[in-house]
Amino acid sequence: METTKIFIGYLIYLPIVIVLTYSVSKALFKNGEAFMIDIFKGKEDIAKATNRLFEVGFYLLNLGWALLILKIDSNQFSNTYQNLVEVLSFKIGGFSIYLGIMLFLNLFLFFRGRKKARSNS
């Protein structure tokens, strides 16, 4: 029975982190395209290609991290739904904090690139 609840946890956790990653990525890189166009001085083809590469890297890093922290340790897992909710909230909350840090790191890189591009003009 314990294994079943852990499996249910995985079935809940994975779609949530995938949707979170997708949502944050779409918002970030849809709006980040304007920064890239500014950084590359209006060269839209290079800006869009670079933005897309950053987006792919964002997916790889975040989904990779989500998969690395996927494991629910059966030694620390008691056989209750309350414990399952607590474990999932800890994992999803931690991943959300990590995703927020990654979002702000990317924004920092966008602003830094924009500042550098303007100072080189």
Side-chain angles (χ1 to χ4, degrees):
M1 180 113 167
E2 183 177 308
T3 306
T4 303
K5 286 186 181 147
I6 291 174
F7 186 70
I8 291 169
Y10 293 153
L11 292 178
I12 294 169
Y13 171 81
L14 284 171
I16 290 173
V17 296
I18 289 169
V19 168
L20 275 173
T21 301
Y22 178 79
S23 301
V24 170
S25 176
K26 283 299 160 196
L28 176 63
F29 292 102
K30 177 184 170 201
N31 297 307
E33 190 173 309
F35 288 99
M36 287 296 192
I37 291 170
D38 190 37
I39 290 167
F40 288 103
K41 298 176 177 48
K43 297 177 184 171
E44 283 193 41
D45 54 338
I46 295 173
K48 287 181 179 184
T50 303
N51 195 47
R52 183 69 184 140
L53 289 172
F54 271 115
E55 186 177 6
V56 170
F58 187 83
Y59 281 128
L60 290 172
L61 281 172
N62 293 306
L63 292 176
W65 182 251
L67 292 172
L68 276 174
I69 65 170
L70 171 71
K71 183 179 181 188
I72 297 174
D73 191 3
S74 60
N75 295 333
Q76 297 175 340
F77 183 76
S78 63
N79 197 13
T80 65
Y81 285 109
Q82 176 187 351
N83 187 241
L84 177 61
V85 170
E86 290 169 356
V87 167
L88 286 174
S89 68
F90 183 80
K91 287 192 169 297
I92 294 168
F95 182 75
S96 296
I97 291 168
Y98 165 79
L99 204 54
I101 291 168
M102 292 302 291
L103 171 72
F104 286 115
L105 177 64
N106 275 280
L107 285 174
F108 170 76
L109 293 174
F110 284 147
F111 282 118
R112 185 173 169 207
R114 186 176 187 201
K115 182 179 177 183
K116 192 167 187 158
R118 287 188 175 181
S119 69
N120 289 340
S121 296

